[in-house]
Amino acid sequence: MRSLFHEELDFISDQLVRMSRMAAEALERATRSLLEADLELAEQVITDDEEIDAVRRDLENRAIDVLARQQPVATDLRQLVTALRMCADLERSGDLARHVAKLARMRYPLVAVPDDLRPIVKEMSVLAEEMIVRAGEVVAAHDPSGAAELQSRDDGMDRLHREVFRLLLDHDTERGRQEVVDMTLLGRYYERYADHAVSVAIRVVFLVTGSWHDEQVPLSDAGRVHRAEP
Amino acid sequence: MRSLFHEELDFISDQLVRMSRMAAEALERATRSLLEADLELAEQVITDDEEIDAVRRDLENRAIDVLARQQPVATDLRQLVTALRMCADLERSGDLARHVAKLARMRYPLVAVPDDLRPIVKEMSVLAEEMIVRAGEVVAAHDPSGAAELQSRDDGMDRLHREVFRLLLDHDTERGRQEVVDMTLLGRYYERYADHAVSVAIRVVFLVTGSWHDEQVPLSDAGRVHRAEP
């Protein structure tokens, strides 16, 4: 029989998985609002971000409440502190989806993304959504091998990010400056979103290995950013 | 006489102040390396970021160790959890300074910042450095009024950020596309750095008021980003 404490940990883990799905849905809708200049959808994504924030608040309150009441040590303590960190990553992913939606809203009725960049924006979004869902699965399964998988997918994100810069700077194509500014920001949003997915998965490694720090896990590189240099 | 527990809390608070100063120094040097195309200085900033990361690791280890050994509740527990969050913000500020230095390194021997944007980049950097140092002071003094002050300074940062976009999009000035990409990223780095300073100061409000969540503190807006819309 599971103790009350472990039931509470299970609940917290379920909420992390839920947040990862909410963040994936937010990005899918944000990208759709961006590519279709769908103002209503963009507004919805912006408003719905409050729901992710609310799940985070509830999760944090519970985790801290459990910390105070049960005074866990060792692995149990590590689980709770790790959950607090993961929910910060997942909430931030939701924020980045909201930024995409805000950019869509700002350019409406225009489409912020030039035609030749539509496929790559779509591709970045789908990859980022898959990564955050996978990060949620890795959390649920306590699967440390997921971190390496997520990092390998993140290399794919970095390649796409570099390709965005290449396309933006290609002088055979006419570009407006606003277009260059917007695409630079969008590229960064998708890349950072993916970084948070990697970060969540890496935290599972600490949980299982007992190390607290991504910096000490050789396969970790989630802290590294700006890899797809402009 | 202070208890051992409170001495440990004081030490953790001192380390947070130390991190804020390290992050300020990193940004000052990164901006100098950027504006002067100083490759050696840029390399130093990039390397020295590991020191900030090391202070964070040490601080986290201590905080978690205290959590496990002393099993604090109420205000004491809140202090430790808040310290963990603050050190994540401060470490991220250091990362953003490193991004500025990496951009300087990437463009060397060229200067990434066009002449007419030098004054505003310098101004953003000085403001951001002042904000993070002030955030450290707010932590040391447990001064909840500091959050409002930091937010007001952050409004200044947003104005500067908007001005960067205005200058970038001003069609009376010739701009290369690489310049537009670089300045868009740089503007975002300084703005995000300042957001982390605000976030640190707001966490002091939770400490003092007993609320856990920036979202519930009316004066808080640190989670809001992309205010200086492109």
Side-chain angles (χ1 to χ4, degrees):
Chain A
M1 196 188 115
R2 303 283 280 166
S3 68
L4 178 62
F5 176 75
H6 287 101
E7 276 177 21
E8 279 170 331
L9 276 190
D10 287 347
F11 181 83
I12 287 170
S13 171
D14 289 349
Q15 292 301 93
L16 289 170
V17 175
R18 187 176 160 213
M19 282 182 82
S20 73
R21 297 213 179 109
M22 290 170 86
E25 193 192 339
L27 192 63
E28 187 276 323
R29 294 162 84 213
T31 302
R32 194 146 39 91
S33 78
L34 178 74
L35 295 177
E36 297 170 15
D38 185 335
L39 181 61
E40 202 180 327
L41 187 58
E43 295 279 12
Q44 262 179 37
V45 174
I46 294 162
T47 308
D48 290 354
D49 186 50
E50 285 163 25
E51 289 173 26
I52 302 182
D53 296 346
V55 176
R56 180 200 178 171
R57 270 198 299 279
D58 182 60
L59 193 158
E60 287 189 335
N61 281 336
R62 278 170 184 272
I64 291 162
D65 186 55
V66 174
L67 269 179
R69 280 188 299 105
Q70 312 253 4
Q71 314 238 316
V73 294
T75 306
D76 293 340
L77 174 60
R78 200 155 58 223
Q79 295 233 33
L80 284 172
V81 175
T82 304
L84 285 171
R85 291 169 171 173
M86 287 171 170
C87 80
D89 276 313
L90 293 168
E91 195 244 322
R92 185 75 199 137
S93 302
D95 287 345
L96 289 161
R98 191 186 62 206
H99 292 352
V100 171
K102 281 193 166 183
L103 209 143
R105 179 172 73 177
M106 210 180 332
R107 293 291 160 257
Y108 177 84
L110 300 177
V111 178
V113 178
D115 282 347
D116 65 318
L117 285 158
R118 291 174 68 91
I120 197 163
V121 166
K122 178 78 188 160
E123 202 178 341
M124 286 177 99
S125 183
V126 168
L127 177 57
E129 294 156 34
E130 285 172 359
M131 285 173 72
I132 210 93
V133 168
R134 187 74 190 101
E137 292 167 359
V138 165
V139 170
H142 273 218
D143 169 17
S145 73
E149 181 197 331
L150 265 288
Q151 289 197 293
S152 149
R153 291 209 199 180
D154 196 43
D155 290 341
M157 178 60 82
D158 291 339
R159 278 192 294 276
L160 291 172
H161 195 197
R162 278 192 297 274
E163 178 66 7
V164 166
F165 288 127
R166 198 191 64 73
L167 290 167
L168 279 184
L169 298 173
D170 173 14
H171 281 281
D172 293 340
T173 314
E174 284 282 323
R175 299 266 180 231
R177 280 190 211 169
Q178 183 73 67
E179 202 172 292
V180 175
V181 168
D182 289 350
M183 278 307 308
T184 301
L185 289 171
L186 287 167
R188 178 119 183 112
Y189 298 154
Y190 290 108
E191 187 233 344
R192 288 294 299 152
Y193 183 107
D195 281 340
H196 288 290
V198 177
S199 172
V200 167
I202 287 176
R203 296 188 197 287
V204 174
V205 179
F206 321 150
L207 263 186
V208 175
T209 61
S211 162
W212 279 110
H213 297 289
D214 38 1
E215 296 90 337
Q216 292 165 345
V217 177
L219 58 73
S220 160
D221 214 358
R224 184 185 58 175
V225 286
H226 208 280
R227 277 164 291 188
E229 315 285 13
Chain B
M1 197 189 117
R2 305 281 282 165
S3 68
L4 178 63
F5 176 74
H6 288 100
E7 276 176 22
E8 278 169 333
L9 276 190
D10 287 347
F11 180 83
I12 287 170
S13 171
D14 289 348
Q15 292 301 94
L16 289 169
V17 174
R18 185 177 162 212
M19 284 181 81
S20 72
R21 297 214 179 107
M22 292 171 85
E25 192 191 341
L27 191 63
E28 188 275 326
R29 295 162 83 210
T31 301
R32 194 145 41 90
S33 78
L34 178 74
L35 295 177
E36 297 170 14
D38 184 334
L39 182 62
E40 201 181 327
L41 187 58
E43 295 280 13
Q44 260 180 39
V45 174
I46 293 162
T47 308
D48 290 353
D49 186 50
E50 284 164 26
E51 290 174 24
I52 302 182
D53 296 347
V55 177
R56 179 197 180 175
R57 270 198 300 277
D58 183 60
L59 193 159
E60 287 188 335
N61 282 336
R62 279 170 183 271
I64 290 161
D65 187 54
V66 174
L67 269 178
R69 281 187 298 104
Q70 313 252 4
Q71 314 236 318
V73 294
T75 306
D76 293 341
L77 173 60
R78 199 155 60 224
Q79 295 232 35
L80 285 171
V81 174
T82 303
L84 286 171
R85 291 169 172 174
M86 286 172 172
C87 81
D89 276 313
L90 292 168
E91 193 244 322
R92 185 74 199 135
S93 301
D95 287 346
L96 289 160
R98 191 186 63 208
H99 291 352
V100 171
K102 281 192 164 181
L103 208 142
R105 179 173 71 178
M106 211 182 330
R107 293 293 160 256
Y108 176 86
L110 301 177
V111 177
V113 178
D115 283 346
D116 65 319
L117 285 159
R118 290 174 69 89
I120 197 163
V121 166
K122 179 76 187 162
E123 201 178 344
M124 287 178 98
S125 183
V126 169
L127 177 57
E129 294 156 34
E130 287 173 355
M131 285 174 71
I132 211 92
V133 168
R134 186 76 190 101
E137 293 168 356
V138 165
V139 170
H142 273 221
D143 169 16
S145 74
E149 180 197 331
L150 264 288
Q151 288 196 295
S152 150
R153 292 208 198 180
D154 196 42
D155 290 340
M157 178 61 83
D158 291 340
R159 278 191 295 275
L160 292 172
H161 195 198
R162 277 192 299 272
E163 179 65 6
V164 167
F165 288 127
R166 198 191 63 74
L167 291 167
L168 280 183
L169 298 172
D170 173 13
H171 281 281
D172 293 340
T173 314
E174 284 283 323
R175 300 265 179 231
R177 280 189 211 170
Q178 184 71 68
E179 200 172 292
V180 175
V181 168
D182 289 349
M183 278 306 309
T184 301
L185 289 172
L186 287 168
R188 179 124 183 107
Y189 298 154
Y190 290 109
E191 187 232 345
R192 287 295 298 153
Y193 183 106
D195 282 340
H196 287 290
V198 176
S199 173
V200 167
I202 287 176
R203 295 188 199 284
V204 175
V205 178
F206 322 150
L207 264 187
V208 177
T209 62
S211 161
W212 280 107
H213 298 290
D214 39 1
E215 296 90 339
Q216 291 165 345
V217 178
L219 56 74
S220 160
D221 214 358
R224 183 185 60 175
V225 286
H226 208 281
R227 275 164 291 187
E229 317 283 14

